[in-house]
């Protein structure tokens, strides 16, 4: 349990803290890029594991996946540009129930282009809603974005989006994660990892089948702030089942 909690803390701390002075610097390009993450530090050994995320979701196994039990309230209270993504930190009180456990929503963040692929298809933007249970076990709910109508939750968050990496800033009004989700909550499921160092495995992944829209301007604004793509390449599925 102590190890799970330690990994949870590492996953939920602003990623900039992991790349601060005296710690290992990682990124998405060059010598510190994804292909070298496992070599940068012994703490990143899991990045070369067999159950890594993201993946290309295909070769599905039919399963009776239970409907998601989502209880979200408006709780996005601060925003941070940590140099690796833009992250909205969430107040306690919102949760997702799965496998008889309650996972509290801790934060959500974004990758452009998408990290996961669905049947080989890439999307211009992907959101990751990160949840943790009382023992530090993680569940990530992933949602894909296509270009179209502006997204209300993004509009609220992007209005306060820091243009440079730095400390979290309070949002003027709390953002609701529900505004990020499609009406249909049908999903795929697989076991994977964090998609950034330390790439810890044992993460439950739920990828929503139906995308939502974001305007071209909203997607471009995120890309401009990141300065470069922030998606880890897809990893080998190996022997993992991808449930449909």
């Amino acid at each position: 349990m102590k190890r799970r909690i330690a990994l949870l803390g590492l996953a939920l701390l602003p990623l900039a803290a992991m790349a601060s002075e005296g710690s290992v610097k990682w990124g998405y390009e060059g010598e510190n890029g994804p292909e070298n993450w496992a070599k940068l530090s012994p703490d990143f050994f899991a990045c070369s594991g067999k159950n890594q995320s993201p993946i290309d979701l295909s070769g599905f196994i039919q399963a009776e996946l239970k409907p998601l039990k989502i209880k979200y309230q408006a709780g996005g209270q601060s925003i941070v540009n940590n140099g690796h993504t833009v992250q909205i930190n969430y107040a306690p009180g919102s949760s997702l129930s799965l496998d008889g456990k309650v996972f509290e929503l801790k934060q959500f963040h974004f990758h452009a282009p998408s990290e996961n692929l669905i049947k080989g298809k890439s999307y211009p933007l992907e959101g990751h809603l990160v949840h943790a249970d009382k023992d530090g076990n993680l569940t990530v709910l992933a949602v894909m974005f296509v270009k179209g109508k502006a997204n209300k939750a993004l509009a609220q968050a992007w209005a306060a989006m820091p243009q440079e990496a730095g400390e979290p800033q309070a949002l003027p009004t709390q953002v609701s994660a529900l505004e990020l989700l499609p009406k249909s909550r049908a999903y795929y499921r697989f076991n994977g990892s964090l998609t950034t160092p330390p790439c810890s495995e044992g993460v439950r992944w739920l990828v929503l089948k139906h995308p939502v829209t974001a305007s071209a301007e909203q997607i471009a604004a995120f890309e401009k702030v990141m300065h470069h793509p922030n998606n880890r390449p897809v990893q080998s599925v190996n022997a993992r089942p991808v449930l449909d």
Side-chain angles (χ1 to χ4, degrees):
M1 180 181 297
K2 289 182 179 179
R3 177 169 175 78
R4 288 199 196 101
I5 293 173
L7 292 176
L8 171 61
L10 198 54
L12 298 181
L13 280 173
L15 296 179
M18 296 165 53
S20 61
E21 185 177 354
S23 64
V24 179
K25 297 183 183 297
W26 60 270
Y28 290 96
E29 300 174 310
E31 295 182 355
N32 294 331
E35 67 277 9
N36 294 318
W37 285 349
K39 304 172 186 176
L40 296 177
S41 168
D43 294 333
F44 298 172
F45 72 93
C47 296
S48 60
K50 299 296 185 182
N51 296 303
Q52 289 290 290
S53 298
I55 64 170
D56 183 353
L57 285 81
S58 60
F60 303 107
I61 295 176
Q62 296 298 315
E64 293 185 7
L65 297 176
K66 296 182 178 180
L68 296 178
K69 296 180 180 179
I70 295 173
K71 295 182 179 179
Y72 290 167
Q73 57 191 21
Q77 57 185 1
S78 66
I79 187 169
V80 60
N81 173 353
N82 55 42
H84 297 298
T85 189
V86 172
Q87 177 174 305
I88 288 80
N89 299 314
Y90 226 75
S94 295
S95 65
L96 180 157
S97 296
L98 185 72
D99 301 336
K101 302 177 183 290
V102 176
F103 294 83
E104 185 171 75
L105 177 59
K106 299 294 185 179
Q107 50 100 336
F108 58 86
H109 62 269
F110 301 89
H111 298 270
S114 69
E115 296 202 297
N116 291 291
L117 308 181
I118 299 179
K119 301 177 184 178
K121 177 179 174 62
S122 173
Y123 294 80
L125 185 69
E126 178 176 356
H128 290 166
L129 289 79
V130 181
H131 306 71
D133 71 6
K134 60 182 179 63
D135 296 320
N137 299 300
L138 300 179
T139 292
V140 178
L141 179 63
V143 58
M144 303 297 182
F145 291 80
V146 295
K147 291 182 180 179
K149 185 179 179 181
N151 182 278
K152 181 178 179 181
L154 290 187
Q156 285 183 271
W158 273 202
M161 181 165 57
Q163 298 301 300
E164 302 294 337
E167 297 298 318
Q169 300 179 18
L171 289 167
T173 57
Q174 291 196 336
V175 176
S176 173
L178 278 178
E179 301 287 349
L180 294 173
L181 305 183
K183 291 182 180 180
S184 170
R185 306 290 164 75
Y187 64 98
Y188 305 109
R189 177 173 178 171
F190 69 96
N191 289 327
S193 72
L194 301 177
T195 65
T196 58
C199 309
S200 311
E201 296 184 341
V203 178
R204 294 167 169 87
W205 276 86
L206 312 173
V207 179
L208 293 170
K209 294 182 178 181
H210 300 283
V212 295
T213 63
S215 69
E217 293 77 13
Q218 287 177 325
I219 295 170
F222 178 80
E223 293 173 335
K224 181 179 178 181
V225 164
M226 286 293 97
H227 304 298
H228 55 72
N230 70 330
N231 62 314
R232 185 189 192 188
V234 293
Q235 305 296 297
S236 298
V237 176
N238 296 317
R240 287 176 285 174
V242 182
L243 305 181
D244 183 352

